[in-house]
Amino acid sequence: MPDSLASVLLTNSEMAEADRLTIAGGTPGTLLMELAGAAVAREAARLVSPTARIAVFCGPGNNGGDGFVAARLLAEQGFAVELGLLGSRYRLPGDAGLAASRWTGDVKAVEEIDLDPASLAIDGLFGAGLARALDGAAKAAVLRLNEWTRKTKKPILAVDVPSGIDGSSGQIRGAAINATRTITFFRRKPGHFLLPGRIHCGSTAVADIGIEASVLPAIAPKTFANGPALWAHCFPVPRVEGHKYARGHAMVVSGGLAHTGAARLAARGALRGGAGLVTVATPSEALSVHAAALTAIMTRVCDGPDDLTKLLADRRKNALVMGPGLGVGENTRALVRAALTPDAEHGEPPRGIVLDADVLTSFADDAYGLARLIRRSGKDVVLTPHDGEFARLFGKVSIGDESRWANLVPNRETVPPLLASLHSESKLDRTRAAAALSGALVILKGADTVAAHPQGRASIAEDLPPWLATAGSGDVLAGLTGGLLAQGMPLFEAASAAIWLHGAAARHFGFGLVAEDIPENLPPVLQALLADGTLQTDKG
């Protein structure tokens, strides 16, 4: 588990277990609800003036109970509060029923609430664990609130997650609240990060309601918010006594004469990411083009699989990036087979290999063949698909392929659920399944990029800027990942760090970014991490 437990994300079931362990340890559930409702009330008071009218929408479960507590506390502070309930207060279960009994004001049906004079609406209809699509009165209430905030620009404060959002997947269940602000408890959930949930949440705050971090080891969560807290402890900061050969040698395999730019972008990403040496392995026809364009990056001729095998005989070339501009077809597949040939010598750290772009398309509909090569190679492999490449590679894998995948995956019993999860609506589940089946770390790119290790750990990006969606951006990410692997950074941490740094460099440059700008904006990002102590220069 990372040094900072704050980066942990909890699925719906894991959060329920955190609640259960806390209650079993002696904290009453009523106290947890009271503290949650108090946090909602504090957040609501920050969003409006002391004379504001607040409309509180409560649902039939614990989320509604939090709403009742918040309504009571806000009324005690002098706010004008109108409360609506979906269903009957006398059917509210357990702690939520007790919270409702302490509310002395009127309880209206949700459709009776007058939103016109309200300055703020609190969404306490449904929490993260919603198990079905909203319909009927619930859906009508959500749509009404969304129309109100759209027309008036007045805020909605969501409790836990916006109603209609699945806390584990970020998916919409029928309809979902468009919140201005979301207040959640103890730890955030994947649905706060994954699209479209992240958009519906607005900004998200986390409140302490008395659940201790000591419950986390028993839960053993494997999902994390991607940030320096997750990987800074092993980030390869150059040391005084170091030299370029100690910082690894990354090699990028280039395509032909008409497709050289992508390889150079990847190579530049690897170099700016800290690799001590970077080489572009290029076909003879493109050598002069690369030689004219590159300075600190070296070139070597590679006209096919045999040449690549000879180049890789030098174990100092300890990271390889393949795919950007490489071309689609049998030649690329042959190069991948050469790269993934098991090493004859043992005892050295495995070579890191990043497979991107044209490599993934070259293995379209043959995920099993690629996975077999990866698993037999013994190498640390990263696959970096966007959604389209993921669909081409894994889209036709089905539960009917169970028998042959069972011969490849170490735990045969996991194969059926993994094959099913490849087609899940949850991006997190899809990425995890692909990693577990292929034996590679998988980076599924997008505004909510997920990195998943074959053993289940996953990170989710939170704040990648939209201008990263530009030609060549993914080539730089592949190279940056290779550069960190060359320096000996562990597989999961290297991939997660590359994703975060890639986004941070883009944010530093700003709107108008093109791919060439990303490597050149890494230095100020790294310098800032050193200056604030996030990265340490004195690690042993």
Side-chain angles (χ1 to χ4, degrees):
M1 190 170 291
D3 292 338
S4 174
L5 295 177
S7 64
V8 167
L9 303 178
L10 296 180
T11 64
N12 298 336
S13 60
E14 289 169 343
M15 186 63 210
E17 181 65 3
D19 286 339
R20 189 194 69 78
L21 289 170
T22 300
I23 293 169
T27 301
T30 53
L31 177 58
L32 294 180
M33 185 168 288
E34 191 72 17
L35 292 171
V40 174
R42 286 194 301 272
E43 198 65 33
R46 293 190 187 104
L47 293 173
V48 293
S49 70
T51 59
R53 296 182 65 85
I54 299 174
V56 182
F57 286 68
C58 295
N62 285 341
N63 204 243
D66 297 339
F68 271 100
V69 173
R72 187 189 81 235
L73 296 175
L74 288 166
E76 290 173 357
Q77 294 174 48
F79 289 97
V81 178
E82 189 175 17
L83 186 146
L85 175 62
L86 188 66
S88 168
R89 69 185 299 173
Y90 303 107
R91 298 182 64 182
L92 287 169
D95 297 333
L98 183 58
S101 71
R102 293 173 176 169
W103 166 252
T104 58
D106 291 338
V107 177
K108 299 181 178 181
V110 290
E111 59 269 20
E112 295 174 347
I113 287 201
D114 184 5
L115 282 170
D116 288 340
S119 298
L120 169 72
I122 295 177
D123 164 32
L125 291 169
F126 295 96
L130 185 65
R132 59 178 178 82
L134 296 183
D135 57 14
K139 184 174 182 179
V142 167
L143 295 177
R144 182 180 172 220
L145 280 165
N146 285 347
E147 182 66 8
W148 171 77
T149 193
R150 185 187 68 81
K151 285 185 174 179
T152 66
K153 309 304 179 188
K154 294 177 181 178
I156 298 175
L157 174 63
V159 180
D160 192 18
V161 297
S163 292
I165 293 295
D166 185 303
S168 291
S169 70
Q171 292 298 301
I172 296 173
R173 302 295 183 211
I177 289 288
N178 293 320
T180 309
R181 180 87 162 151
T182 297
I183 177 94
T184 193
F185 314 113
F186 182 50
R187 292 294 186 274
R188 289 177 291 181
K189 299 174 178 65
H192 293 122
F193 285 64
L194 295 167
L195 296 180
R198 189 176 83 201
I199 296 171
H200 284 262
C201 288
S203 58
T204 300
V206 182
D208 178 4
I209 59 169
I211 300 176
E212 298 293 337
S214 58
V215 303
L216 291 173
I219 298 170
K222 290 188 174 183
T223 310
F224 306 93
N226 191 355
L230 188 61
W231 41 260
H233 65 284
C234 61
F235 193 85
V237 178
R239 299 173 62 86
V240 172
E241 69 275 20
H243 49 80
K244 64 184 179 182
Y245 299 104
R247 293 172 63 187
H249 189 159
M251 187 165 70
V252 179
V253 182
S254 172
L257 185 60
H259 305 282
T260 60
R264 288 197 296 276
L265 285 171
R268 193 70 176 173
L271 193 64
R272 281 296 191 194
L277 300 99
V278 179
T279 292
V280 170
T282 171
S284 300
E285 65 173 278
L287 178 60
S288 60
V289 174
H290 282 304
L294 298 173
T295 49
I297 295 165
M298 300 176 288
T299 57
R300 294 292 298 274
V301 171
C302 178
D303 281 322
D306 291 342
D307 286 344
L308 182 59
T309 298
K310 291 174 184 176
L311 289 172
L312 293 177
D314 181 356
R315 289 289 304 171
R316 292 174 298 179
K317 294 179 175 67
N318 62 338
L320 180 66
V321 179
M322 303 178 67
L326 190 54
V328 175
E330 176 52 34
N331 183 63
T332 291
R333 291 192 293 272
L335 288 168
V336 172
R337 288 193 290 269
L340 293 178
T341 300
D343 294 325
E345 299 178 9
H346 300 283
E348 295 186 44
R351 177 177 281 123
I353 298 181
V354 181
L355 302 179
D356 183 39
D358 289 347
V359 165
L360 304 176
T361 302
S362 293
F363 281 88
D365 300 333
D366 190 20
Y368 176 82
L370 181 58
R372 184 171 57 180
L373 290 171
I374 290 168
R375 288 189 174 277
R376 290 179 178 178
S377 73
K379 297 176 169 63
D380 285 341
V381 178
V382 180
L383 305 179
T384 60
H386 54 57
D387 282 333
E389 290 161 343
F390 188 94
R392 287 193 288 272
L393 185 59
F394 294 104
K396 292 186 179 179
V397 178
S398 70
I399 197 69
D401 300 318
E402 177 184 344
S403 58
R404 66 172 182 165
W405 282 97
N407 293 323
L408 194 62
V409 176
N411 187 348
R412 298 170 63 97
E413 294 179 356
T414 65
V415 170
L418 288 174
L419 292 174
S421 292
L422 276 181
H423 308 287
S424 168
E425 63 180 4
S426 166
K427 183 171 186 173
L428 180 60
D429 289 350
R430 290 197 307 275
T431 313
R432 274 202 171 109
L437 288 166
S438 68
L441 185 140
V442 176
I443 297 174
L444 184 49
K445 296 181 288 193
D448 53 353
T449 295
V450 175
H453 190 276
Q455 294 179 356
R457 283 190 299 162
S459 66
I460 308 175
E462 178 179 13
D463 53 359
L464 300 179
W467 40 89
L468 268 176
T470 184
S473 172
D475 304 325
V476 177
L477 176 61
L480 178 53
T481 305
L484 294 176
L485 290 173
Q487 296 168 82
M489 202 170 182
L491 191 62
F492 178 68
E493 287 79 5
S496 298
I499 293 163
W500 189 90
L501 291 169
H502 188 246
R507 281 195 306 276
H508 183 270
F509 182 90
F511 186 36
L513 175 96
V514 297
E516 290 93 327
D517 300 319
I518 301 172
E520 308 320 309
N521 281 271
L522 283 170
V525 170
L526 293 169
Q527 289 160 16
L529 292 176
L530 279 173
D532 68 13
T534 300
L535 299 181
Q536 300 292 325
T537 59
D538 58 351
K539 297 192 296 291

